Amino acid sequence: MSHDTAARHPVATPPQGGGEEGGDQPSGGRASFEFGGECRFCEMTRQHHPQCARRLPKRIILVRHGESQGNLDMSAYTTTPDYRIPLTALGAEQARAAGRGIRDVVASGGGNWKVYFYVSPYARTRATLREIGRAFPRDRIIGAREECRVREQDFGNFQVEERMRAVKETRQRFGRFFFRFPEGESAADVFDRVASFLESLWRDIDMGRLDQDPSCETNLVIVSHGLTSRVFLMKWFKWTVDQFERLNNFENCEFRVMQLGPGGEYSLLVHHTKEELEQWGMSREMIADQQWRASANRRSWAEECSSFIDSFFDDPKDSESSSEEEEEKENGKIKELE
């Protein structure tokens, strides 16, 4: 739905009449669509109306951890559990630089802004968050929460280096998304838990857990891992498995900014450039989708769901009439042969 359509869906107003809180009569003859601070319109469509009580974060920023000992030397995984692998000195420096970069992004518009952090429970992501946090005054941080569902893909327990090299070569042939590591996970498994996390994230937004001040501009920062962040974007933007397979991994402490556009959709193209998206491996079709998300011209829900329709059909017809014309031509050819 467009915002014009959304305007025809009334937003909650405090009940009037009877002089008491919780009176039965809605004000001004408007239907009561909101209960307990939750807008039914937004809950059903996941689209934000300017008058709605749901206050969406202005930005959702995904950050990969800094360089870890495992990035430097794969043999580290043979003696240290993955979740305990520490940052290197360079990784800590990268995280401090990322913190300054993120602060510059969220402060670019001036005004009252704050950040809320989600972080993977791994040692390298928690250490990255500590270094990122140095860039922010305490009164700019709403809170931070450890979130197990945005942890690294599980590769198994202690990893035998040579065996892991062979397994990763097999993954290249099999496909990254569906290949499951022995005693570990596939990217499809990560997708399932990221999907669960997103449901919790929407509840946090709906319940006002991420901010208290309506005049404050909220920014979410999710400190996670390369594959998990790519899966997050895949789930959010409804990318296909083939589109996911195109994507390049994040560099250490690289961050990608999903920013809310004037039409109420998040887009990577509000902050980033088309050239950057191309470097990340995104196709022209994916970039075009980001372009309309960044604009004020919204499409209907049905159109949004079918934004990658050409990926599923070889030659979709523009209309029913064109399909009928093609059918008549085919029937004519059959009669000629008879």
Side-chain angles (χ1 to χ4, degrees):
M1 290 184 181
S2 67
H3 273 181
D4 291 336
T5 306
R8 297 196 291 272
H9 291 258
V11 185
T13 53
Q16 302 285 327
E20 293 181 359
E21 200 172 329
D24 294 329
Q25 301 299 321
S27 82
R30 298 171 72 191
S32 179
F33 274 79
E34 188 173 315
F35 302 92
E38 199 168 299
C39 172
R40 187 181 296 174
F41 171 73
C42 279
E43 184 61 31
M44 289 189 297
T45 66
R46 290 287 184 242
Q47 296 176 14
H48 180 55
H49 186 268
Q51 298 175 356
C52 179
R54 167 182 275 180
R55 297 184 59 253
L56 297 178
K58 181 166 184 179
R59 300 175 188 87
I60 300 175
I61 302 175
L62 304 172
V63 193
R64 186 188 176 197
H65 60 80
E67 181 190 74
S68 72
Q69 193 62 41
N71 296 141
L72 203 60
D73 180 7
M74 279 188 62
S75 66
Y77 296 106
T78 64
T79 57
T80 306
D82 193 359
Y83 70 93
R84 290 183 181 172
I85 297 288
L87 286 184
T88 63
L90 174 60
E93 183 181 329
Q94 290 171 334
R96 288 190 290 273
R100 294 189 293 271
I102 293 169
R103 182 199 59 207
D104 290 345
V105 170
V106 301
S108 59
N112 186 16
W113 58 267
K114 293 191 177 182
V115 292
Y116 190 100
F117 294 97
Y118 288 95
V119 62
S120 157
Y122 280 39
R124 55 188 178 272
T125 42
R126 290 178 60 98
T128 298
L129 173 60
R130 282 194 294 273
E131 299 303 326
I132 286 175
R134 297 178 188 275
F136 295 90
R138 181 63 186 85
D139 62 356
R140 293 288 190 177
I141 301 175
I142 301 170
R145 184 184 308 171
E146 182 177 283
E147 176 49 72
C148 285
R149 289 169 292 183
V150 298
R151 69 184 185 274
E152 175 67 288
Q153 178 182 8
D154 290 334
F155 297 108
N157 299 317
F158 290 112
Q159 301 170 23
V160 179
E161 187 174 357
E162 289 306 315
R163 180 189 179 210
M164 186 55 65
R165 289 185 192 278
V167 168
K168 288 185 175 180
E169 287 175 5
T170 304
R171 179 182 62 172
Q172 288 296 108
R173 298 196 306 272
F174 190 91
R176 284 180 172 270
F177 190 76
F178 291 112
F179 181 84
R180 179 176 285 112
F181 283 86
E183 302 177 341
E185 289 182 305
S186 65
D189 296 323
V190 178
F191 182 97
D192 291 341
R193 55 177 162 86
V194 166
S196 170
F197 164 64
L198 278 172
E199 291 300 317
S200 299
L201 177 59
W202 280 114
R203 283 197 298 275
D204 285 345
I205 292 170
D206 288 337
M207 299 300 291
R209 293 170 181 155
L210 306 183
D211 58 19
Q212 303 297 327
D213 183 355
S215 68
C216 178
E217 182 181 284
T218 306
N219 300 271
L220 298 187
V221 180
I222 302 174
V223 185
S224 184
H225 307 264
L227 181 132
T228 308
S229 297
R230 300 199 312 276
V231 165
F232 182 100
L233 293 170
M234 175 190 182
K235 170 61 179 172
W236 190 284
F237 293 122
K238 305 178 181 67
W239 291 339
T240 65
V241 172
D242 285 345
Q243 288 168 332
F244 168 83
E245 295 281 6
R246 294 179 54 95
L247 301 175
N248 300 318
N249 199 11
F250 289 41
E251 298 293 336
N252 290 121
C253 271
E254 182 182 2
F255 60 87
R256 299 184 184 175
V257 181
M258 299 163 51
Q259 186 161 324
L260 198 62
E265 284 283 353
Y266 288 94
S267 172
L268 294 164
L269 270 177
V270 176
H271 175 77
H272 299 286
T273 65
K274 180 180 176 182
E275 289 70 29
E276 285 180 290
L277 271 59
E278 289 173 344
Q279 291 170 6
W280 301 342
M282 292 175 63
S283 67
R284 283 185 294 180
E285 187 180 30
M286 296 164 77
I287 294 172
D289 182 64
Q290 293 297 315
Q291 286 175 324
W292 82 254
R293 288 174 182 272
S295 73
N297 299 319
R298 295 189 52 81
R299 298 187 294 194
S300 71
W301 176 251
E303 287 173 328
E304 179 182 336
C305 283
S306 60
S307 58
F308 300 124
I309 193 168
D310 291 342
S311 301
F312 299 95
F313 302 102
D314 292 334
D315 186 22
K317 306 304 178 186
D318 292 333
S319 66
E320 186 176 351
S321 60
S322 63
S323 297
E324 291 173 351
E325 290 172 4
E326 290 291 333
E327 187 175 348
E328 287 176 4
K329 288 179 181 178
E330 288 298 323
N331 289 338
K333 289 178 182 177
I334 292 171
K335 286 178 180 179
E336 287 177 7
L337 291 172
E338 292 174 348

